[in-house]
């Protein structure tokens, strides 16, 4: 099983640490350094089994390679997963993060990291105590770029406009019915942007405080998480964890398009074909959610400004998606296949960045 998992991954190197004091497993999956130093977030989570954590790290690292390669950015793909044991004591978090920082530093620049599911800019401040200068998105007080979520949300908004431009010949999001699945770091930043565009927003979420905020204080329509995928809408935006689109859920969808921030939205590659044969336009996840990665590298490695990041995101996400949708239509292939080709062209050095 490990054999097949590692072979299918096709990555460059995998660093494994067993953090004895806490019992956590640490996986740093460096998928590719072909285009430049590898970068990707650090995810902290509990998993049912160690192989689930490893599988997550491997798949997400490959997604990062594609995320940087598709726009032609000079970085490679990686991801780290810290799997917490069931009996993890929260008081041990700070020391765990500091030990993790030492492991990142030991890679001497082969791996740059930042926040992901389960980690925050405040965590990056702690990791940077031992892992500097390879840690991005520390808090602004500590001199970092802070939370990348709003940039990712801005990229998703741009992606939704491109979806409407392709589907309806008009990129306005006014009156479009949009279902935001998950109102966390990115979904929660996306909702106000959509409301400002005049969209009809519905959201689903599992966290009670977040539900209370958006439903009761902001007045956004709410559906329980279990009903979200079946809501009739123009665009479904998966903004929670991955793997939401598969042979069970795709037949239930009642949307014209899917465009959201979650990584690895498709259960398997065949699910892209399932969406296509249902006539649902799929905006490939690593293109539509690339705003965070683009902003992080621009602000922290390329000396850019927040305005520059927004310009780069708006230009790239729109251009890439329209090209992907056109290629898919012209050649009768899935948008996922068209996006993969675009990324592979850059990886093969066939197109100048
Ligand atoms: C993602 O987009 O999924 C990321 O992991 C973003 C990122 C990019 C570069 C460093 C850290 C996180």
């Amino acid at each position: 099983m490990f054999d097949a998992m590692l072979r299918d991954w096709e990555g460059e190197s995998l660093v494994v640490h067993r953090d004895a004091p806490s019992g956590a497993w640490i996986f740093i999956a460096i998928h590719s350094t072909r285009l430049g130093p590898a970068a990707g977030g650090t995810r902290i989570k509990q998993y049912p089994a160690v192989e689930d954590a490893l599988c997550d790290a491997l798949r997400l690292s490959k997604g990062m390679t594609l995320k940087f390669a598709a726009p032609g950015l000079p970085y490679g793909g990686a991801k780290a997963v810290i799997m917490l044991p069931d009996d993890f004591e929260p008081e041990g978090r700070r020391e765990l993060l500091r030990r993790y920082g030492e492991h990142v530093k030991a890679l001497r620049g082969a791996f740059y990291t930042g926040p992901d599911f389960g980690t925050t800019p405040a965590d990056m401040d702690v990791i940077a105590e031992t892992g500097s200068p390879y840690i991005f998105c520390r808090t602004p007080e500590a001199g970092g770029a802070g939370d990348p979520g709003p940039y990712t949300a801005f990229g998703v908004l741009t992606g939704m406009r491109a979806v409407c431009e392709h589907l309806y010949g008009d990129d306005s999001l006014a009156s479009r019915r949009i279902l935001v699945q998950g109102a966390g770091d990115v979904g929660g930043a996306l909702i106000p942007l959509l409301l400002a565009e005049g969209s009809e927003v519905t959201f689903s979420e599992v966290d009670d405080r977040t539900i209370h905020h958006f439903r009761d204080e902001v007045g956004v329509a709410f559906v329980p998480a279990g009903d979200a995928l079946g809501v009739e809408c123009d665009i479904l935006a998966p903004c929670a964890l991955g793997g939401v689109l598969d042979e069970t859920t795709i037949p239930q969808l009642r949307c014209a398009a899917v465009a959201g921030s979650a990584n690895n939205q498709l259960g398997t590659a065949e699910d892209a074909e399932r969406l296509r044969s249902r006539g649902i336009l799929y905006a490939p996840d690593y293109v539509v959610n690339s705003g965070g990665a683009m902003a992080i590298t621009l602000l922290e490695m390329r000396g850019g400004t927040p305005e520059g990041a927004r310009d780069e995101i708006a230009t790239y996400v729109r251009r890439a998606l329209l090209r992907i949708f056109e290629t898919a239509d012209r050649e009768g292939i899935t948008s996922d296949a068209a996006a993969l080709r675009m990324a592979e062209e850059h990886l093969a050095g066939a197109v100048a960045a």
Side-chain angles (χ1 to χ4, degrees), residues 39-41 64 67-68 79 112-116 136 263 293 296:
M64 288 308 300
K67 196 176 295 195
F68 287 122
K79 206 83 160 190
Y112 287 81
T113 195
D116 201 276
F136 296 155
N263 283 315
I296 293 170

Side-chain angles (χ1 to χ4, degrees), residues 62-76:
K62 191 169 190 166
M64 288 308 300
T65 296
L66 299 174
K67 196 176 295 195
F68 287 122
L73 291 173
Y75 306 100

Side-chain angles (χ1 to χ4, degrees), residues 209-244:
R209 278 181 43 204
T210 310
I211 295 172
H212 173 68
H213 172 68
F214 284 108
R215 182 188 58 195
D216 307 327
E217 294 171 2
V218 188
V220 184
F222 169 75
V223 287
D227 300 337
L229 297 177
V231 169
E232 188 175 345
C233 58
D234 296 305
I235 304 177
L236 166 68
C239 295
L241 287 172
V244 283

Side-chain angles (χ1 to χ4, degrees), residues 7 22 50 60 64 100 124 150 152 157 188 203 207-208 235 253 327 331:
R7 205 163 353 97
S22 68
V50 177
L60 290 162
M64 288 308 300
Y100 170 64
M124 296 307 125
T152 311
L157 187 84
F203 80 106
D207 177 66
D208 288 335
I235 304 177
L253 300 182
T327 305
E331 302 192 18

Side-chain angles (χ1 to χ4, degrees), residues 138-155:
R138 286 168 298 140
T139 59
E141 297 73 43
D147 180 13
Y151 291 102
T152 311
F154 177 69

Side-chain angles (χ1 to χ4, degrees), residues 146-223:
D147 180 13
Y151 291 102
T152 311
F154 177 69
V156 175
L157 187 84
T158 304
M160 289 179 169
R161 283 215 189 89
V163 161
C164 290
E165 187 172 341
H166 182 78
L167 281 181
Y168 311 117
D170 171 3
D171 76 353
S172 168
L173 293 171
S175 305
R176 295 285 175 216
R177 295 161 307 164
I178 296 173
L179 189 287
V180 179
Q181 186 210 21
D185 192 41
V186 180
L190 178 62
I191 290 172
L193 298 179
L194 289 169
L195 294 175
E197 298 287 318
S199 307
E200 278 180 33
V201 182
T202 304
F203 80 106
S204 72
E205 171 58 49
V206 290
D207 177 66
D208 288 335
R209 278 181 43 204
T210 310
I211 295 172
H212 173 68
H213 172 68
F214 284 108
R215 182 188 58 195
D216 307 327
E217 294 171 2
V218 188
V220 184
F222 169 75
V223 287

Side-chain angles (χ1 to χ4, degrees), residues 67-68 71 73 151-152 155-156 285-295 313 316-317:
K67 196 176 295 195
F68 287 122
L73 291 173
Y151 291 102
T152 311
V156 175
D285 47 11
Y286 57 83
V287 178
V288 81
N289 74 13
S290 60
M294 232 178 271
I313 294 165
Y316 161 71
V317 174

